Amino acid sequence: MDLETELEYKSYEFSGIDEDAGNWKPILISSGSELAIDAPSGVASAEFLAEVEGVKSTIASMSGDQRKNVDHWTNNAVLRWNEVALGLIAKYNLIPGPNVDESYTLPNPANPAGPPVFPFSHPPYASRALAYLSVAQYDGMISAWHYKFQFKRPAPYQVDMDIPHAYVSNNLPSYPSEGAVLATVSRKILTAMFPLEADYLKELEEQHLESLILAGENVPSDLEAGKKIGEEIAGIALARAADDGMKYAQSPKAVSDSLRQAAFDRFGWQWENLESPVRPVGLTPLFGKVKMWNVQNVEDTRPPVPPAPGSEAFEKDIKILQDYADNVTHERRRIANFWQDGLGTYTPPGHWNDIAGEYILKYKLNSIRTARTFAYMNMAIMDGGISCWDAKYYYYYPRPIQMIKDFETIAGTPNFPSYTSGHSVFSAAAASVLTYIFPQEGEIFHEWAEEAAISRVYGGIHWTFDATVGTTQGRDVAQYTIDVAKSDGADD
């Protein structure tokens, strides 16, 4: 795998256009018709013909920079907006450091400029941002497809042969514009997640919308209808986000301490934060309480009790980790580094979005199938993360560096409990959904998920059972989402 945040691709012929996709079952709304738009003017109307002439005139005066934007956005801009999200996740994946007095200040959405800036886009935050973005995109696309094939208004390049079409033609009706849906819904969701980037995201939205006219794909009324859908579905998604419990995930110290004490009372162990100065609360102790997408009760996915310190299984694991630490090979170090996805990167959820993009292009998925892939994968990743964090703070299990004398890692030690491994859960969940979407590639997806899991053991971050149990946990959680996907109509 050679992964880059921005994929190199041009417009392409889709493997199919899914004329019936407007009848697929969305996630946040009851049906594609729930978001209402007006009927378009007819192709013989003076209003529409004037719009076509305006498109022709606009294309004739296109600049070189505008042409580059047309080429950049392509006829599947779901991938481009996903890349924007990955770039922002990496930019904001910086843990706030200590103040001069060795206290810590948390990022505050009410004061995003800080210091410290909001957000800190750690893996749970990244998984949530990607889930809301892709779910809103998918539902908006279902609505767009519903009306496209109801009204069947042709694109301007199909009406006037003098209008050049910049993209490979897939004969999609143009009203409403799916590109406009994507531009608007993506800008709104990402602005809510990364408020300091509002101006940048608005500029991207405007560039994308302009490119749709310059490509010969749409007339302005196509864009207005698409923008209306994008605005409405973004509002619905953000209303869910406001009430999903994420605002309470970074709990006060008293709550965190109560979780620590409860674990000690149950099991006789507790994780200790070894940072200096000590951060008073680990990362998002209550992320395990955030509303899940496809699992009704997080406890239904909670893994079994890990081995007790001093037990035979525990002592066996110590020997395994000490052997890895004493015999670091080039290949083990490569694996640990490749999957590390630490600070300043797009995190493990982002890594799997990058992988998904490569296979979406390999199999030439259209834009609605692309949105569907990201939506189900990112819901499974977020649900997996919630299940993982429930286990982390229920069991409050210590990390190897705390329990093995003079033990050293080859990667930084995260500031939250060990069991289970987030990398393992995120990766197994993603691989399971991608295997459902691309069954012929399942072997390699699961192989990579297992490699991501063992990478944390090679790095000295996790126990082997953190990784193996986490992999099973991720697969189990993903199955809830896969079962939903199988009933949405896309497989019929």
Short mmCIF file of all heavy atoms in Angstrom, two decimals, residues 17-78:
data_model
loop_
_atom_site.label_atom_id
_atom_site.label_comp_id
_atom_site.label_asym_id
_atom_site.label_seq_id
_atom_site.Cartn_x
_atom_site.Cartn_y
_atom_site.Cartn_z
N ILE A 17 -24.82 3.38 -12.93
CA ILE A 17 -25.33 4.65 -12.39
C ILE A 17 -26.45 4.45 -11.37
O ILE A 17 -26.91 5.42 -10.78
CB ILE A 17 -25.79 5.60 -13.51
CG1 ILE A 17 -26.93 4.99 -14.33
CG2 ILE A 17 -24.61 6.00 -14.37
CD1 ILE A 17 -27.52 5.99 -15.32
N ASP A 18 -26.89 3.23 -11.15
CA ASP A 18 -27.88 2.94 -10.10
C ASP A 18 -29.11 3.83 -10.20
O ASP A 18 -29.40 4.65 -9.33
CB ASP A 18 -27.23 3.08 -8.71
CG ASP A 18 -26.25 1.97 -8.41
OD1 ASP A 18 -26.67 0.79 -8.46
OD2 ASP A 18 -25.08 2.27 -8.14
N GLU A 19 -29.85 3.66 -11.26
CA GLU A 19 -31.04 4.47 -11.49
C GLU A 19 -32.06 4.37 -10.35
O GLU A 19 -32.85 5.29 -10.14
CB GLU A 19 -31.71 4.07 -12.81
CG GLU A 19 -30.87 4.39 -14.03
CD GLU A 19 -31.59 4.08 -15.32
OE1 GLU A 19 -32.85 3.99 -15.30
OE2 GLU A 19 -30.92 3.91 -16.36
N ASP A 20 -32.04 3.26 -9.63
CA ASP A 20 -33.02 3.06 -8.55
C ASP A 20 -32.50 3.52 -7.19
O ASP A 20 -33.17 3.33 -6.17
CB ASP A 20 -33.42 1.59 -8.46
CG ASP A 20 -32.25 0.69 -8.05
OD1 ASP A 20 -31.07 1.11 -8.21
OD2 ASP A 20 -32.50 -0.43 -7.58
N ALA A 21 -31.33 4.15 -7.13
CA ALA A 21 -30.73 4.50 -5.84
C ALA A 21 -31.56 5.51 -5.06
O ALA A 21 -31.42 5.60 -3.83
CB ALA A 21 -29.32 5.04 -6.04
N GLY A 22 -32.43 6.25 -5.73
CA GLY A 22 -33.32 7.16 -5.02
C GLY A 22 -34.32 6.45 -4.14
O GLY A 22 -34.98 7.08 -3.29
N ASN A 23 -34.44 5.13 -4.33
CA ASN A 23 -35.34 4.32 -3.49
C ASN A 23 -34.61 3.60 -2.37
O ASN A 23 -35.26 2.90 -1.58
CB ASN A 23 -36.07 3.29 -4.37
CG ASN A 23 -36.94 3.93 -5.41
OD1 ASN A 23 -37.61 4.93 -5.14
ND2 ASN A 23 -36.94 3.38 -6.62
N TRP A 24 -33.29 3.75 -2.30
CA TRP A 24 -32.56 3.12 -1.19
C TRP A 24 -32.96 3.76 0.13
O TRP A 24 -33.42 4.91 0.17
CB TRP A 24 -31.06 3.28 -1.39
CG TRP A 24 -30.50 2.56 -2.59
CD1 TRP A 24 -31.14 1.68 -3.41
CD2 TRP A 24 -29.16 2.68 -3.10
NE1 TRP A 24 -30.30 1.25 -4.41
CE2 TRP A 24 -29.08 1.84 -4.24
CE3 TRP A 24 -28.04 3.40 -2.72
CZ2 TRP A 24 -27.90 1.71 -4.99
CZ3 TRP A 24 -26.86 3.28 -3.46
CH2 TRP A 24 -26.80 2.45 -4.58
N LYS A 25 -32.79 3.01 1.18
CA LYS A 25 -33.17 3.50 2.51
C LYS A 25 -32.05 4.35 3.09
O LYS A 25 -30.95 3.86 3.30
CB LYS A 25 -33.49 2.33 3.44
CG LYS A 25 -33.95 2.77 4.83
CD LYS A 25 -34.40 1.59 5.66
CE LYS A 25 -34.71 2.01 7.09
NZ LYS A 25 -35.66 3.14 7.18
N PRO A 26 -32.34 5.62 3.39
CA PRO A 26 -31.31 6.46 4.00
C PRO A 26 -31.13 6.15 5.49
O PRO A 26 -31.78 5.26 6.04
CB PRO A 26 -31.85 7.89 3.80
CG PRO A 26 -33.11 7.76 3.00
CD PRO A 26 -33.57 6.35 3.13
N ILE A 27 -30.27 6.92 6.14
CA ILE A 27 -29.91 6.66 7.53
C ILE A 27 -30.59 7.65 8.48
O ILE A 27 -31.15 7.26 9.51
CB ILE A 27 -28.38 6.72 7.68
CG1 ILE A 27 -27.75 5.55 6.90
CG2 ILE A 27 -27.96 6.64 9.16
CD1 ILE A 27 -26.32 5.76 6.50
N LEU A 28 -30.59 8.93 8.12
CA LEU A 28 -31.13 9.97 9.00
C LEU A 28 -32.56 10.37 8.66
O LEU A 28 -33.25 10.94 9.50
CB LEU A 28 -30.24 11.21 8.93
CG LEU A 28 -28.81 11.06 9.45
CD1 LEU A 28 -27.98 12.27 9.03
CD2 LEU A 28 -28.80 10.90 10.96
N ILE A 29 -32.99 10.10 7.46
CA ILE A 29 -34.34 10.46 7.02
C ILE A 29 -35.07 9.20 6.59
O ILE A 29 -34.47 8.14 6.43
CB ILE A 29 -34.30 11.50 5.89
CG1 ILE A 29 -33.43 11.00 4.72
CG2 ILE A 29 -33.79 12.85 6.41
CD1 ILE A 29 -33.38 11.95 3.52
N SER A 30 -36.38 9.32 6.41
CA SER A 30 -37.18 8.12 6.11
C SER A 30 -37.06 7.69 4.66
O SER A 30 -37.13 6.50 4.34
CB SER A 30 -38.64 8.39 6.45
OG SER A 30 -39.14 9.50 5.69
N SER A 31 -36.87 8.65 3.75
CA SER A 31 -36.76 8.34 2.33
C SER A 31 -36.17 9.54 1.61
O SER A 31 -36.12 10.66 2.15
CB SER A 31 -38.13 8.02 1.72
OG SER A 31 -38.94 9.18 1.70
N GLY A 32 -35.73 9.32 0.38
CA GLY A 32 -35.16 10.41 -0.39
C GLY A 32 -36.12 11.52 -0.67
O GLY A 32 -35.72 12.68 -0.86
N SER A 33 -37.41 11.21 -0.69
CA SER A 33 -38.43 12.23 -0.99
C SER A 33 -38.74 13.12 0.20
O SER A 33 -39.48 14.10 0.06
CB SER A 33 -39.71 11.56 -1.48
OG SER A 33 -40.24 10.71 -0.46
N GLU A 34 -38.20 12.78 1.39
CA GLU A 34 -38.49 13.58 2.58
C GLU A 34 -37.96 15.01 2.44
O GLU A 34 -38.53 15.95 3.01
CB GLU A 34 -37.89 12.92 3.81
CG GLU A 34 -38.22 13.64 5.12
CD GLU A 34 -37.67 12.94 6.34
OE1 GLU A 34 -37.66 11.70 6.38
OE2 GLU A 34 -37.24 13.65 7.27
N LEU A 35 -36.88 15.19 1.70
CA LEU A 35 -36.32 16.52 1.48
C LEU A 35 -36.91 17.05 0.18
O LEU A 35 -36.58 16.57 -0.90
CB LEU A 35 -34.80 16.46 1.40
CG LEU A 35 -34.10 15.76 2.56
CD1 LEU A 35 -32.59 15.75 2.34
CD2 LEU A 35 -34.43 16.44 3.89
N ALA A 36 -37.78 18.03 0.28
CA ALA A 36 -38.55 18.48 -0.89
C ALA A 36 -37.83 19.57 -1.67
O ALA A 36 -37.21 20.46 -1.09
CB ALA A 36 -39.91 19.00 -0.44
N ILE A 37 -37.90 19.47 -3.00
CA ILE A 37 -37.44 20.54 -3.89
C ILE A 37 -38.52 20.78 -4.94
O ILE A 37 -39.37 19.91 -5.18
CB ILE A 37 -36.10 20.21 -4.57
CG1 ILE A 37 -36.20 18.91 -5.39
CG2 ILE A 37 -34.97 20.13 -3.57
CD1 ILE A 37 -34.96 18.61 -6.23
N ASP A 38 -38.49 21.94 -5.57
CA ASP A 38 -39.47 22.26 -6.60
C ASP A 38 -39.16 21.51 -7.88
O ASP A 38 -38.00 21.15 -8.16
CB ASP A 38 -39.46 23.76 -6.89
CG ASP A 38 -39.94 24.58 -5.71
OD1 ASP A 38 -40.73 24.05 -4.89
OD2 ASP A 38 -39.52 25.75 -5.59
N ALA A 39 -40.18 21.30 -8.69
CA ALA A 39 -39.97 20.72 -10.02
C ALA A 39 -39.17 21.71 -10.88
O ALA A 39 -39.35 22.92 -10.77
CB ALA A 39 -41.30 20.40 -10.68
N PRO A 40 -38.28 21.20 -11.72
CA PRO A 40 -37.46 22.11 -12.55
C PRO A 40 -38.24 22.63 -13.75
O PRO A 40 -39.27 22.06 -14.15
CB PRO A 40 -36.32 21.21 -13.00
CG PRO A 40 -36.94 19.85 -13.09
CD PRO A 40 -37.92 19.78 -11.96
N SER A 41 -37.76 23.70 -14.33
CA SER A 41 -38.35 24.17 -15.59
C SER A 41 -37.99 23.20 -16.70
O SER A 41 -36.98 22.50 -16.64
CB SER A 41 -37.83 25.58 -15.92
OG SER A 41 -36.42 25.57 -15.98
N GLY A 42 -38.83 23.14 -17.73
CA GLY A 42 -38.61 22.21 -18.82
C GLY A 42 -37.47 22.63 -19.73
O GLY A 42 -37.06 23.79 -19.76
N VAL A 43 -36.96 21.67 -20.50
CA VAL A 43 -35.81 21.94 -21.36
C VAL A 43 -36.15 22.88 -22.51
O VAL A 43 -35.24 23.48 -23.11
CB VAL A 43 -35.21 20.63 -21.91
CG1 VAL A 43 -34.61 19.79 -20.81
CG2 VAL A 43 -36.25 19.83 -22.68
N ALA A 44 -37.43 23.03 -22.82
CA ALA A 44 -37.81 23.94 -23.89
C ALA A 44 -38.20 25.32 -23.37
O ALA A 44 -38.51 26.22 -24.16
CB ALA A 44 -38.98 23.35 -24.69
N SER A 45 -38.17 25.49 -22.05
CA SER A 45 -38.59 26.77 -21.46
C SER A 45 -37.54 27.84 -21.70
O SER A 45 -36.34 27.57 -21.81
CB SER A 45 -38.83 26.62 -19.96
OG SER A 45 -37.61 26.37 -19.28
N ALA A 46 -38.01 29.09 -21.78
CA ALA A 46 -37.09 30.22 -21.96
C ALA A 46 -36.12 30.32 -20.79
O ALA A 46 -34.94 30.64 -20.97
CB ALA A 46 -37.89 31.51 -22.11
N GLU A 47 -36.61 30.00 -19.60
CA GLU A 47 -35.77 30.08 -18.40
C GLU A 47 -34.59 29.12 -18.49
O GLU A 47 -33.45 29.49 -18.25
CB GLU A 47 -36.62 29.77 -17.17
CG GLU A 47 -35.86 29.81 -15.85
CD GLU A 47 -36.74 29.39 -14.68
OE1 GLU A 47 -37.95 29.17 -14.87
OE2 GLU A 47 -36.20 29.27 -13.57
N PHE A 48 -34.88 27.87 -18.86
CA PHE A 48 -33.81 26.88 -18.94
C PHE A 48 -32.85 27.20 -20.08
O PHE A 48 -31.62 27.11 -19.92
CB PHE A 48 -34.41 25.48 -19.13
CG PHE A 48 -33.37 24.39 -19.25
CD1 PHE A 48 -32.65 23.98 -18.16
CD2 PHE A 48 -33.11 23.80 -20.49
CE1 PHE A 48 -31.69 22.97 -18.27
CE2 PHE A 48 -32.15 22.80 -20.61
CZ PHE A 48 -31.44 22.39 -19.49
N LEU A 49 -33.37 27.58 -21.23
CA LEU A 49 -32.51 27.87 -22.37
C LEU A 49 -31.59 29.06 -22.08
O LEU A 49 -30.44 29.08 -22.53
CB LEU A 49 -33.37 28.13 -23.61
CG LEU A 49 -34.12 26.89 -24.14
CD1 LEU A 49 -35.04 27.27 -25.29
CD2 LEU A 49 -33.15 25.80 -24.55
N ALA A 50 -32.09 30.01 -21.30
CA ALA A 50 -31.24 31.14 -20.91
C ALA A 50 -30.12 30.66 -20.00
O ALA A 50 -28.98 31.15 -20.08
CB ALA A 50 -32.09 32.21 -20.22
N GLU A 51 -30.44 29.71 -19.12
CA GLU A 51 -29.40 29.15 -18.24
C GLU A 51 -28.34 28.43 -19.07
O GLU A 51 -27.13 28.55 -18.79
CB GLU A 51 -30.02 28.18 -17.24
CG GLU A 51 -30.79 28.83 -16.12
CD GLU A 51 -31.06 27.85 -15.00
OE1 GLU A 51 -31.86 26.91 -15.20
OE2 GLU A 51 -30.47 28.02 -13.91
N VAL A 52 -28.76 27.70 -20.10
CA VAL A 52 -27.82 26.98 -20.96
C VAL A 52 -26.90 27.97 -21.67
O VAL A 52 -25.68 27.75 -21.76
CB VAL A 52 -28.58 26.09 -21.96
CG1 VAL A 52 -27.62 25.52 -23.00
CG2 VAL A 52 -29.30 24.96 -21.23
N GLU A 53 -27.46 29.05 -22.18
CA GLU A 53 -26.64 30.07 -22.83
C GLU A 53 -25.64 30.68 -21.85
O GLU A 53 -24.50 30.97 -22.21
CB GLU A 53 -27.53 31.15 -23.44
CG GLU A 53 -28.25 30.73 -24.71
CD GLU A 53 -27.28 30.34 -25.81
OE1 GLU A 53 -26.30 31.08 -26.06
OE2 GLU A 53 -27.47 29.26 -26.41
N GLY A 54 -26.08 30.88 -20.62
CA GLY A 54 -25.19 31.42 -19.61
C GLY A 54 -24.03 30.48 -19.31
O GLY A 54 -22.88 30.92 -19.11
N VAL A 55 -24.31 29.18 -19.28
CA VAL A 55 -23.25 28.19 -19.07
C VAL A 55 -22.24 28.26 -20.21
O VAL A 55 -21.01 28.25 -19.98
CB VAL A 55 -23.86 26.78 -18.96
CG1 VAL A 55 -22.76 25.71 -19.03
CG2 VAL A 55 -24.65 26.62 -17.68
N LYS A 56 -22.74 28.32 -21.42
CA LYS A 56 -21.86 28.38 -22.59
C LYS A 56 -20.94 29.60 -22.52
O LYS A 56 -19.74 29.50 -22.78
CB LYS A 56 -22.70 28.42 -23.86
CG LYS A 56 -21.91 28.21 -25.13
CD LYS A 56 -22.73 28.45 -26.38
CE LYS A 56 -23.97 27.59 -26.43
NZ LYS A 56 -24.69 27.74 -27.73
N SER A 57 -21.51 30.73 -22.13
CA SER A 57 -20.73 31.96 -22.04
C SER A 57 -19.68 31.87 -20.93
O SER A 57 -18.54 32.30 -21.09
CB SER A 57 -21.67 33.14 -21.77
OG SER A 57 -20.95 34.33 -21.55
N THR A 58 -20.07 31.29 -19.80
CA THR A 58 -19.15 31.15 -18.67
C THR A 58 -17.97 30.25 -19.03
O THR A 58 -16.81 30.55 -18.70
CB THR A 58 -19.89 30.60 -17.44
OG1 THR A 58 -20.96 31.47 -17.10
CG2 THR A 58 -18.96 30.46 -16.25
N ILE A 59 -18.24 29.15 -19.71
CA ILE A 59 -17.18 28.23 -20.11
C ILE A 59 -16.22 28.91 -21.08
O ILE A 59 -14.99 28.72 -21.01
CB ILE A 59 -17.78 26.95 -20.72
CG1 ILE A 59 -18.52 26.14 -19.65
CG2 ILE A 59 -16.70 26.10 -21.38
CD1 ILE A 59 -19.27 24.94 -20.18
N ALA A 60 -16.76 29.73 -21.97
CA ALA A 60 -15.92 30.39 -22.98
C ALA A 60 -14.88 31.31 -22.36
O ALA A 60 -13.81 31.54 -22.95
CB ALA A 60 -16.81 31.17 -23.95
N SER A 61 -15.17 31.83 -21.17
CA SER A 61 -14.23 32.76 -20.53
C SER A 61 -13.47 32.12 -19.38
O SER A 61 -12.91 32.80 -18.53
CB SER A 61 -14.99 34.00 -20.02
OG SER A 61 -15.98 33.62 -19.07
N MET A 62 -13.44 30.77 -19.34
CA MET A 62 -12.78 30.06 -18.24
C MET A 62 -11.28 30.33 -18.22
O MET A 62 -10.61 30.30 -19.25
CB MET A 62 -13.04 28.55 -18.39
CG MET A 62 -12.40 27.72 -17.30
SD MET A 62 -12.87 25.94 -17.28
CE MET A 62 -13.48 25.61 -18.91
N SER A 63 -10.74 30.58 -17.01
CA SER A 63 -9.31 30.81 -16.83
C SER A 63 -8.58 29.49 -16.63
O SER A 63 -9.19 28.43 -16.42
CB SER A 63 -9.07 31.71 -15.62
OG SER A 63 -9.37 31.01 -14.42
N GLY A 64 -7.25 29.57 -16.65
CA GLY A 64 -6.45 28.37 -16.41
C GLY A 64 -6.65 27.80 -15.02
O GLY A 64 -6.73 26.58 -14.83
N ASP A 65 -6.75 28.68 -14.01
CA ASP A 65 -6.97 28.21 -12.64
C ASP A 65 -8.34 27.56 -12.50
O ASP A 65 -8.49 26.56 -11.77
CB ASP A 65 -6.85 29.38 -11.66
CG ASP A 65 -5.41 29.81 -11.44
OD1 ASP A 65 -4.50 29.02 -11.77
OD2 ASP A 65 -5.20 30.93 -10.96
N GLN A 66 -9.31 28.13 -13.17
CA GLN A 66 -10.64 27.52 -13.11
C GLN A 66 -10.63 26.14 -13.76
O GLN A 66 -11.28 25.21 -13.27
CB GLN A 66 -11.66 28.42 -13.81
CG GLN A 66 -12.00 29.68 -13.03
CD GLN A 66 -12.90 30.63 -13.80
OE1 GLN A 66 -12.70 30.83 -15.01
NE2 GLN A 66 -13.88 31.20 -13.13
N ARG A 67 -9.87 25.99 -14.83
CA ARG A 67 -9.77 24.70 -15.50
C ARG A 67 -9.13 23.66 -14.57
O ARG A 67 -9.55 22.50 -14.52
CB ARG A 67 -8.92 24.85 -16.76
CG ARG A 67 -8.69 23.55 -17.52
CD ARG A 67 -9.93 23.11 -18.24
NE ARG A 67 -10.15 21.68 -18.10
CZ ARG A 67 -11.04 20.99 -18.79
NH1 ARG A 67 -11.81 21.60 -19.66
NH2 ARG A 67 -11.21 19.71 -18.59
N LYS A 68 -8.13 24.10 -13.80
CA LYS A 68 -7.50 23.19 -12.84
C LYS A 68 -8.50 22.74 -11.78
O LYS A 68 -8.49 21.58 -11.35
CB LYS A 68 -6.30 23.88 -12.18
CG LYS A 68 -5.10 24.05 -13.10
CD LYS A 68 -3.96 24.77 -12.39
CE LYS A 68 -2.77 24.99 -13.32
NZ LYS A 68 -1.68 25.74 -12.64
N ASN A 69 -9.36 23.66 -11.34
CA ASN A 69 -10.38 23.29 -10.35
C ASN A 69 -11.36 22.28 -10.91
O ASN A 69 -11.78 21.34 -10.22
CB ASN A 69 -11.14 24.54 -9.87
CG ASN A 69 -10.40 25.29 -8.79
OD1 ASN A 69 -9.63 24.70 -8.02
ND2 ASN A 69 -10.61 26.59 -8.71
N VAL A 70 -11.74 22.46 -12.17
CA VAL A 70 -12.64 21.49 -12.82
C VAL A 70 -12.00 20.11 -12.82
O VAL A 70 -12.62 19.10 -12.47
CB VAL A 70 -12.98 21.94 -14.25
CG1 VAL A 70 -13.71 20.83 -15.01
CG2 VAL A 70 -13.82 23.21 -14.23
N ASP A 71 -10.73 20.07 -13.20
CA ASP A 71 -10.02 18.78 -13.24
C ASP A 71 -9.88 18.18 -11.85
O ASP A 71 -9.91 16.96 -11.68
CB ASP A 71 -8.64 18.97 -13.87
CG ASP A 71 -8.70 19.33 -15.34
OD1 ASP A 71 -9.74 19.09 -15.97
OD2 ASP A 71 -7.69 19.85 -15.86
N HIS A 72 -9.69 19.04 -10.85
CA HIS A 72 -9.48 18.55 -9.48
C HIS A 72 -10.73 17.88 -8.92
O HIS A 72 -10.65 16.79 -8.34
CB HIS A 72 -9.07 19.71 -8.57
CG HIS A 72 -9.07 19.37 -7.11
ND1 HIS A 72 -8.07 18.63 -6.52
CD2 HIS A 72 -9.98 19.63 -6.12
CE1 HIS A 72 -8.34 18.47 -5.24
NE2 HIS A 72 -9.48 19.06 -4.97
N TRP A 73 -11.89 18.52 -9.08
CA TRP A 73 -13.09 18.00 -8.40
C TRP A 73 -13.63 16.75 -9.07
O TRP A 73 -14.21 15.89 -8.39
CB TRP A 73 -14.18 19.09 -8.34
CG TRP A 73 -13.82 20.16 -7.35
CD1 TRP A 73 -13.38 21.42 -7.61
CD2 TRP A 73 -13.86 20.04 -5.92
NE1 TRP A 73 -13.14 22.10 -6.43
CE2 TRP A 73 -13.42 21.27 -5.39
CE3 TRP A 73 -14.21 19.02 -5.04
CZ2 TRP A 73 -13.33 21.51 -4.00
CZ3 TRP A 73 -14.11 19.25 -3.67
CH2 TRP A 73 -13.68 20.47 -3.17
N THR A 74 -13.45 16.57 -10.35
CA THR A 74 -13.86 15.39 -11.11
C THR A 74 -15.36 15.12 -11.00
O THR A 74 -16.12 15.90 -10.42
CB THR A 74 -13.09 14.12 -10.69
OG1 THR A 74 -13.64 13.57 -9.48
CG2 THR A 74 -11.61 14.40 -10.49
N ASN A 75 -15.77 13.98 -11.55
CA ASN A 75 -17.18 13.59 -11.50
C ASN A 75 -17.49 12.69 -10.31
O ASN A 75 -18.59 12.14 -10.21
CB ASN A 75 -17.62 12.92 -12.81
CG ASN A 75 -16.81 11.66 -13.11
OD1 ASN A 75 -15.81 11.37 -12.47
ND2 ASN A 75 -17.24 10.91 -14.12
N ASN A 76 -16.55 12.54 -9.39
CA ASN A 76 -16.82 11.85 -8.12
C ASN A 76 -16.13 12.62 -7.01
O ASN A 76 -15.06 12.25 -6.52
CB ASN A 76 -16.34 10.40 -8.13
CG ASN A 76 -16.76 9.65 -6.87
OD1 ASN A 76 -17.37 10.22 -5.96
ND2 ASN A 76 -16.45 8.37 -6.81
N ALA A 77 -16.78 13.71 -6.59
CA ALA A 77 -16.19 14.60 -5.60
C ALA A 77 -16.39 14.12 -4.17
O ALA A 77 -15.89 14.75 -3.24
CB ALA A 77 -16.77 16.01 -5.75
N VAL A 78 -17.09 13.00 -3.97
CA VAL A 78 -17.17 12.42 -2.63
C VAL A 78 -15.75 12.16 -2.11
O VAL A 78 -15.42 12.45 -0.96
CB VAL A 78 -17.99 11.11 -2.62
CG1 VAL A 78 -18.05 10.53 -1.20
CG2 VAL A 78 -19.39 11.34 -3.15
#
